[in-house]
Amino acid sequence: MFTEAFMIRAFLAALFLCPLCALLGVFVTARRMSFFSETIAHGALTGVAIGIWMGMTELTIPVIGFGLLVAMAIIWLKENTELMTDTIMALLLAGSISLGIFILSLVKGGYLGQVHSYLFGDILAVEDRDVVVSGILFAVVAVSVFMNLNVLTLISAHEDLAHVCGVNVRRVNYLFVLALTVTVAVSIQLLGIMLVTSLVVIPPAAARNVSCNLRQQIVYSLLIGVIGGLGGIALSYHFNAPCGATIAMSCISLFLLTLVIRLFTRKRNANQPLLPS
Amino acid sequence: MTCECHSHNPDPGPVPAIEVSGLKVSFGGQPVLKGVNMKVPKGSVVALIGPNGSGKTTLLRCLLGLQEPAQGQVKIFGESNLQRVMPRIGYVPQKLALERSFILSVREFLSLRLSQSRNWFWHSRKWSDDALRSTMAEIGVEPLLDRPIAALSGGQLQRVLIAFSLLKAPDLLLLDEPTAGVDSPGEDTFYDLITKVHKHHGMTVVLVSHDLSMVYRHASWVYALNGTICCEGSPEEVMNAESLKQAYGIHVSPYQHHHHVH
Ligand SMILES: Nc1ncnc2c1ncn2[C@@H]1O[C@H](COP(=O)(O)OP(=O)(O)OP(=O)(O)O)[C@@H](O)[C@H]1O
Ligand SMILES: [Mg+2]
């Protein structure tokens, strides 16, 4: 399994992208933005469709571009209308998927394989360049998240308090959305449009089960992201299944494990924190 | 609605802590602040009173740059770029809705304020500063340090927010009903603490409260707000039936809360 070049590429890409999604996911879930990343991910379908339609060979650029467009549309609608956030998301989700399907229907045949691999994730689709892009993205985003952890945490706790502590709330929000959008768009190659959000949401949710403070949640989320990601790639190879599905399944298994740990230990000792802080 | 009682405003000194002129704010065409003027001298403890919906919270939010005024100007310590003076301000919001699922512990939350330049991720575990511990113990948050902040009761959260606002020894403290929901020993401790910290640091305090007896005992200057500052003066001057009627529109006994005092 480790001798084949495509497997090494897939493992490396998972090693970079899975913990990155899991790290951002801690703040995404804390800020109720899971649906936001879902909407951006589905916007990628339109990006793929536009890329195929225009005859591009490299689809990551239109995917990131359209993802950013959707993200900006969400923020603009949120700031300029009275609509509830989930209404806006549902609107854009339907809008971008329908646009994507419509554009694909204009293209003459031969694209189905490509669309399939973007929808469900494909380890064979990971190329050398994708590994390099993931590595750079991991370095840039993870380092900036850790360097700005205070600011991100304050904003997640309360935006007004963050403002009073001297944080430029608007700028940090935009940068966070940018980081999330690019990460989701790049991860689609590996995880697929349908399931990329699972890697943003499940590791922090599983970590939440066994943590009693934010530091623990971050550490466990990263760990669960790495284990789930690498395990999912191995399963994908073994069963010859799309790796989006196998990675999501291995993350959910870890979630169930943490849930059992939580139920078991809570029953025994309801007042004690599960793990020493 | 101007009033006869703003007779002898004390000399605000060269640079007042807060200077508000002609401040107007409206929401959806409905005016809330209709031209507020105030000058708060450095080092004073002033109270802001007024009926529900009279714009007290809105005024504080303007002072913090959280609310853009339609008209008028706000200067804090002579600076009109409010972002620049934010690090010198401590703020206790009226109510704070926290995301229930957010697992940030009280200790981590407080270290955010403490180590703005350092990363709480590496530093929140080391908490050896004794001076700090005694403040925490005094406010009653020490037993809460390892609880998730979203799981606290309303009064416990309020105590944590008070601790948060005092941590960096601010030059200006804006308190929006800070002791709402805090039990009465806690309230007494809080006002004693504010008095003590004020003596020590000489910071400026702006306090919004509906508890007129507390205002009477602790504030050196009172503003009665109802769209505009309709009355200001020392507590003795403002807290009389006549001027309270002007602010609240109905008869309010200035001493109705005194039975709480012991
Ligand atoms: N974001 C907002 N959007 C619309 N209206 C608002 C907003 N914030 C405040 N208002 C309105 O402005 C008025 C003043 O509100 P504000 O919160 O400043 O009152 P307050 O004096 O703090 O009252 P309380 O004593 O109840 O805290 C109210 O009528 C309120 O409905
Ligand atoms: Mg208020």
Side-chain angles (χ1 to χ4, degrees):
Chain A
M1 165 156 68
F2 295 101
T3 50
E4 283 138 302
F6 79 91
M7 279 308 285
I8 294 175
R9 284 197 298 264
F11 272 119
L12 277 176
L15 200 58
F16 292 132
L17 293 176
C18 297
L20 193 56
C21 288
L23 176 64
L24 291 176
V26 171
F27 298 96
V28 169
T29 50
R31 309 184 67 188
R32 288 198 189 210
M33 286 170 68
S34 323
F35 208 29
F36 186 95
S37 78
E38 187 80 47
T39 308
I40 294 169
H42 284 77
L45 182 67
T46 316
V48 171
I50 292 173
I52 293 176
W53 187 47
M54 291 171 64
M56 293 183 181
T57 47
E58 177 45 58
L59 295 179
T60 311
I61 304 289
V63 165
I64 293 178
F66 200 78
L68 285 176
L69 206 68
V70 171
M72 290 307 127
I74 294 172
I75 294 176
W76 189 88
L77 285 170
K78 234 165 107 170
E79 285 177 358
N80 292 285
T81 67
E82 313 274 271
L83 294 173
M84 293 297 286
T85 313
D86 54 349
T87 312
I88 294 172
M89 308 278 186
L91 187 87
L92 285 166
L93 198 73
S96 55
I97 292 181
S98 54
L99 186 63
I101 295 173
F102 180 74
I103 293 175
L104 280 177
S105 72
L106 299 180
V107 184
K108 300 275 169 296
Y111 60 83
L112 265 180
Q114 225 171 345
V115 173
H116 185 276
S117 96
Y118 268 96
L119 276 178
F120 303 113
D122 187 358
I123 36 177
L124 290 171
V126 180
E127 291 167 24
D128 283 339
R129 203 198 30 209
D130 298 322
V131 176
V132 174
V133 169
S134 320
I136 293 171
L137 187 69
F138 174 78
V140 172
V141 175
V143 167
S144 5
V145 165
F146 267 94
M147 296 216 339
N148 295 293
L149 211 53
N150 281 9
V151 164
L152 258 182
T153 311
L154 259 174
I155 286 197
S156 309
H158 200 266
E159 293 199 350
D160 288 356
L161 273 186
H163 171 93
V164 176
C165 291
V167 176
N168 186 337
V169 174
R170 224 176 127 86
R171 190 177 67 194
V172 176
N173 276 342
Y174 274 105
L175 287 176
F176 183 72
V177 165
L178 178 70
L180 180 64
T181 307
V182 176
T183 303
V184 165
V186 171
S187 305
I188 281 173
Q189 191 99 81
L190 192 68
L191 291 149
I193 288 167
M194 301 292 285
L195 287 167
V196 67
T197 305
S198 64
L199 209 72
V200 177
V201 174
I202 301 170
R208 176 74 170 81
N209 281 338
V210 286
S211 317
C212 49
N213 58 43
L214 189 63
R215 180 203 281 108
Q216 289 178 354
Q217 194 190 8
I218 290 174
V219 171
Y220 293 141
S221 182
L222 284 169
L223 264 177
I224 291 167
V226 170
I227 298 171
L230 297 185
I233 299 278
L235 285 175
S236 165
Y237 177 82
H238 192 261
F239 292 104
N240 194 21
C243 57
T246 51
I247 289 177
M249 273 159 54
S250 63
C251 285
I252 288 174
S253 316
L254 291 171
F255 175 84
L256 291 175
L257 183 68
T258 58
L259 192 64
V260 169
I261 293 176
R262 179 194 174 90
L263 294 177
F264 183 67
T265 48
R266 283 292 144 94
K267 205 175 256 175
R268 229 179 30 197
N269 197 342
N271 296 320
Q272 285 296 303
L274 195 52
L275 297 152
S277 52
Chain B
M1 265 223 284
T2 44
C3 167
E4 55 285 355
C5 62
H6 54 269
S7 43
H8 39 269
N9 200 343
D11 175 28
V15 181
I18 299 172
E19 192 172 2
V20 174
S21 47
L23 193 71
K24 290 186 183 169
V25 174
S26 30
F27 291 108
Q30 191 72 31
V32 171
L33 298 181
K34 309 163 193 164
V36 171
N37 299 298
M38 62 196 285
K39 241 182 213 173
V40 177
K42 271 184 192 160
S44 53
V45 178
V46 305
L48 199 57
I49 62 171
N52 293 135
S54 57
K56 303 181 296 294
T57 300
T58 308
L59 178 55
L60 286 197
R61 288 176 61 83
C62 287
L63 296 181
L64 290 162
L66 289 168
Q67 174 69 51
E68 273 300 316
Q71 239 180 65
Q73 212 192 12
V74 175
K75 276 188 186 171
I76 311 262
F77 299 121
E79 174 71 75
S80 49
N81 181 354
L82 298 178
Q83 191 75 37
R84 229 179 277 168
V85 287
M86 278 308 131
R88 298 171 67 187
I89 301 181
Y91 172 52
V92 175
Q94 182 170 9
K95 57 176 192 294
L96 191 67
L98 287 171
E99 208 54 71
R100 197 82 191 162
S101 69
F102 196 39
I103 200 175
L104 190 71
S105 72
V106 172
R107 188 190 297 275
E108 288 171 330
F109 178 66
L110 293 176
S111 18
L112 282 176
R113 181 68 169 169
L114 210 57
S115 50
Q116 209 111 98
S117 47
R118 293 181 311 168
N119 206 314
W120 65 262
F121 191 81
W122 319 113
H123 291 281
S124 69
R125 250 185 300 193
K126 311 189 205 95
W127 257 49
S128 48
D129 192 331
D130 285 335
L132 203 69
R133 288 196 92 98
S134 71
T135 311
M136 295 300 116
E138 230 170 318
I139 307 174
V141 300
E142 199 161 34
L144 306 174
L145 284 178
D146 289 311
R147 303 265 302 275
I149 186 165
L152 301 178
S153 79
Q156 288 172 331
L157 178 61
Q158 206 63 20
R159 285 168 187 255
V160 170
L161 290 174
I162 290 166
F164 188 83
S165 73
L166 286 174
L167 270 181
K168 268 185 60 182
D171 295 325
L172 173 63
L173 200 50
L174 301 177
L175 307 166
D176 198 347
E177 300 187 32
T179 56
V182 175
D183 54 29
S184 74
E187 190 177 9
D188 289 339
T189 321
F190 169 71
Y191 281 104
D192 290 347
L193 192 74
I194 292 291
T195 311
K196 209 174 94 184
V197 179
H198 178 255
K199 258 198 198 119
H200 209 259
H201 292 289
M203 80 286 205
T204 313
V205 181
V206 178
L207 175 74
V208 172
S209 180
H210 290 297
D211 188 339
L212 297 185
S213 74
M214 281 298 170
V215 167
Y216 194 86
R217 287 202 295 168
H218 295 283
S220 57
W221 198 255
V222 178
Y223 293 93
L225 184 72
N226 201 347
T228 57
I229 303 287
C230 58
C231 196
E232 66 171 289
S234 66
E236 291 82 7
E237 288 174 305
V238 177
M239 310 288 247
N240 58 59
E242 182 56 32
S243 29
L244 287 180
K245 185 167 193 292
Q246 207 165 19
Y248 286 87
I250 49 157
H251 180 77
V252 183
S253 158
Y255 305 113
Q256 64 179 6
H257 290 277
H258 262 199
H259 57 266
H260 285 312
V261 180
H262 21 247

